[in-house]
Amino acid sequence: MDRSQDVLPLTGYNLTIDEVVAVSKGRPVALHPDALPGMKRSREVVDRLVSEGRIAYGITTGFGRFKDKLISSEQVAELQLNLIRSHAAGAGPELDEETVRAMLIVRANTLAMGYSGIRPEVVQLMVDMLNEGVHPCIPGRGSLGASGDLATLAHMSLVLIGEGEAMYRSRRHDGATALREAGLEPVVLGAKEGLALTNGTTLMAGLGALLVHRATNLALTADIAAAMTLEALIGTDRAYDARVHAIRPHPRQVACAAFLRDMLHGSRLLRSDDPGNVQDPYTLRCVPQVHGAVRDTIDYARWMINIELNSANDNPLVFAGDDPEETEIISAGNFHGEPIAVAMDSMKLSIVDMGNMSERRTARLVDADSNGGILPMFLTDHGGLESGLMLTQYTAAALASENKVLAHPASADSIPSGANTEDHVSMGAASAHHTQQVLENVETIVAIELIDAAQAIDFRCREPGVTPDGMGRGTGAAYRMIRRHVPFLDRDAPLAPLIEAVRGLVSRGDVVGAVGEKVEIPGPTLD
């Protein structure tokens, strides 16, 4: 991994979404010395319970429905090993490397809080795996989001004990070989440690952190695309007037309107007062109201995920007092993923609608009947012989339609498991997976709008006195970014490579970055 980056210290209490994203991309980490005393105290409690033969769930008993099955002190280690092996029952496509790294950092941080009864050396191995680039191969499906992400975490944990499979230096190995090649050794789990590794909201929180970061960038990019389309269609920015939004003061709506005004500042492509055309269609006029509502759900998800990243969410929890008499082991439900499921579903639904807005703006750009003949049909000079950008709207429409199916809230569902011991589940992992797919789709929809808006602006620049230099200070920067990667299309050409190229610009944040050189980018508004 990149050793030149600053090392992120893990304390268990101050991990942020941005830090999860940085680690997912290779930032090295270290277990902070301040985390060790709490971890050691909780571990001493577990060892004492085992030595005294006391009954404690998951330590000296079985799991779930087997909670009344007592386990002897000679079998507690075998119990944890069996848990990891039996719970590695995932299915479906494997998680990508960034998501796996997000899981590792989130789980390590949670365990570092010192309420899980796990030895520091187990957590240290997770840290070492991150730093050496050992990435467990984890099937993405199998979590119900209730007793945590059991199956996915079990696959992650197999590698810690030298089993399962992992990627190391772009090659797939069995877990033991991957560790050995990286100069690491597997651990032998003790009492409760398998349970501590597998019981928690790690997939939901780790993937959720990546998705919040991605959604924040996408919302800003959708603002940029809308502003470019407004110029392409000779719209007016009067609906973004600060006075309008001050008397309906939803903070994110206000922030969105301000961003649009800043981007369009100085634009000579907009129309001035026109008694015959006093307002634009909703997908142009109501951008702050709709995109502001999207920001509401993103900021809520950010607030919730930041809490979850620094939460003890396994079961049971170890509260180690200075006096042994004050020590308690409490079985509870912090592993339940409902907070994440609800937040991901809410964010997903709003992003679906942001994609609907973008697709409708694209439809107006390519349809001369809808835009009043400002632009040629399908943005081509040779309509009939050539189809121009006709099919860009088809693709956007297909993705927008798919999103409407994915918008169904996974958190509205529940299915009992564990012989009805786990009788309500959050389906938070499904919420996160669906949100990821929606984000990918809307990134493509917005990329298509950017391509079509740039093409439309070039047609507008055939008008006397109209040039790209007359665009707003922010929209002009975005236009120039697009034109560095996609030329004006004066004849038909395969569009898929161009769409993918701009989708990459959107996903990486390059479009927002280009605009940010000219305009202040608004940050989260959590009040």
Side-chain angles (χ1 to χ4, degrees), residues 218 351-352 354-355 403 438-447:
L218 177 58
I351 292 169
V352 166
M354 188 169 68
N403 284 346
V438 165
L439 275 167
E440 291 174 359
N441 288 347
V442 178
E443 285 172 347
T444 302
I445 293 170
V446 170

Side-chain angles (χ1 to χ4, degrees), residues 107-118:
R107 194 80 209 130
N109 191 66
T110 294
L111 298 174
M113 293 182 71
Y115 293 96
S116 302
I118 194 167

Side-chain angles (χ1 to χ4, degrees), residues 279-409:
Q279 60 186 27
D280 292 319
Y282 287 2
T283 54
L284 296 172
R285 195 192 333 162
C286 302
V287 172
Q289 290 82 0
V290 177
H291 289 196
V294 176
R295 281 172 162 78
D296 286 339
T297 66
I298 296 171
D299 277 8
Y300 168 69
R302 176 183 294 103
W303 170 80
M304 184 279 309
I305 290 288
N306 272 322
I307 293 173
E308 193 69 20
L309 293 178
N310 302 285
S311 297
N313 48 39
D314 56 309
N315 181 58
L317 294 167
V318 180
F319 294 88
D322 295 331
D323 185 336
E325 296 299 322
E326 297 175 352
T327 294
E328 287 193 76
I329 305 288
I330 300 178
S331 289
N334 277 2
F335 50 63
H336 202 291
E338 193 72 9
I340 303 175
V342 170
M344 288 294 104
D345 278 340
S346 299
M347 188 173 80
K348 173 185 66 176
L349 177 61
S350 71
I351 292 169
V352 166
D353 202 36
M354 188 169 68
N356 293 341
M357 290 271 284
S358 179
E359 184 276 328
R360 287 293 82 201
R361 290 191 296 265
T362 291
R364 194 168 293 275
L365 285 168
V366 300
D367 182 1
D369 294 334
S370 293
N371 63 44
I374 296 169
L375 302 164
M377 187 69 79
F378 303 127
L379 300 175
T380 179
D381 282 320
H382 310 292
L385 175 64
E386 297 185 351
S387 296
L389 298 185
M390 178 196 299
L391 264 289
T392 61
Q393 185 268 330
Y394 283 45
T395 299
L399 295 173
S401 185
E402 180 183 0
N403 284 346
K404 294 167 189 175
V405 177
L406 292 168
H408 176 80

Side-chain angles (χ1 to χ4, degrees), residues 113-435:
M113 293 182 71
Y115 293 96
S116 302
I118 194 167
R119 289 169 296 157
E121 49 263 44
V122 180
V123 183
Q124 183 61 52
L125 178 56
M126 299 172 71
V127 168
D128 292 339
M129 287 167 58
L130 279 167
N131 292 338
E132 298 300 330
V134 178
H135 303 127
C137 300
I138 304 175
R141 301 304 191 270
S143 170
L144 295 172
S147 290
D149 298 308
L150 294 174
T152 45
L153 280 169
H155 283 279
M156 181 194 79
S157 302
L158 279 174
V159 178
L160 294 169
I161 61 175
E163 299 184 13
E165 293 183 304
M167 298 298 295
Y168 178 65
R169 294 185 176 176
S170 302
R171 295 185 61 187
R172 193 181 189 99
H173 303 274
D174 63 81
T177 300
L179 291 176
R180 184 173 63 251
E181 290 289 318
L184 305 175
E185 295 184 2
V187 294
V188 177
L189 298 178
K192 196 187 180 297
E193 291 184 326
L195 190 57
L197 287 168
T198 58
N199 214 216
T201 59
T202 305
L203 169 61
M204 291 176 275
L207 181 53
L210 301 183
L211 297 177
V212 166
H213 179 83
R214 193 169 173 180
T216 301
N217 170 72
L218 177 58
L220 292 166
T221 311
D223 293 345
I224 295 165
M228 286 180 62
T229 298
L230 189 77
E231 289 182 308
L233 295 175
I234 321 180
T236 176
D237 61 353
R238 284 181 58 80
Y240 308 154
D241 190 298
R243 293 169 294 181
V244 171
H245 303 281
I247 56 176
R248 195 196 192 195
H250 294 289
R252 268 66 68 179
Q253 175 182 325
V254 171
C256 178
F259 184 44
L260 291 166
R261 291 195 304 272
D262 286 349
M263 283 192 292
L264 292 163
H265 181 78
S267 176
R268 299 191 296 275
L269 273 67
L270 301 176
R271 73 175 183 274
S272 55
D273 292 343
D274 180 353
N277 187 7
V278 297
Q279 60 186 27
D280 292 319
Y282 287 2
T283 54
L284 296 172
R285 195 192 333 162
C286 302
V287 172
Q289 290 82 0
V290 177
H291 289 196
V294 176
R295 281 172 162 78
D296 286 339
T297 66
I298 296 171
D299 277 8
Y300 168 69
R302 176 183 294 103
W303 170 80
M304 184 279 309
I305 290 288
N306 272 322
I307 293 173
E308 193 69 20
L309 293 178
N310 302 285
S311 297
N313 48 39
D314 56 309
N315 181 58
L317 294 167
V318 180
F319 294 88
D322 295 331
D323 185 336
E325 296 299 322
E326 297 175 352
T327 294
E328 287 193 76
I329 305 288
I330 300 178
S331 289
N334 277 2
F335 50 63
H336 202 291
E338 193 72 9
I340 303 175
V342 170
M344 288 294 104
D345 278 340
S346 299
M347 188 173 80
K348 173 185 66 176
L349 177 61
S350 71
I351 292 169
V352 166
D353 202 36
M354 188 169 68
N356 293 341
M357 290 271 284
S358 179
E359 184 276 328
R360 287 293 82 201
R361 290 191 296 265
T362 291
R364 194 168 293 275
L365 285 168
V366 300
D367 182 1
D369 294 334
S370 293
N371 63 44
I374 296 169
L375 302 164
M377 187 69 79
F378 303 127
L379 300 175
T380 179
D381 282 320
H382 310 292
L385 175 64
E386 297 185 351
S387 296
L389 298 185
M390 178 196 299
L391 264 289
T392 61
Q393 185 268 330
Y394 283 45
T395 299
L399 295 173
S401 185
E402 180 183 0
N403 284 346
K404 294 167 189 175
V405 177
L406 292 168
H408 176 80
S411 59
D413 188 26
S414 179
I415 188 166
S417 57
N420 213 37
T421 300
E422 300 164 8
D423 54 350
H424 179 273
V425 298
S426 75
M427 300 307 298
S431 298
H433 287 308
H434 292 170
T435 301

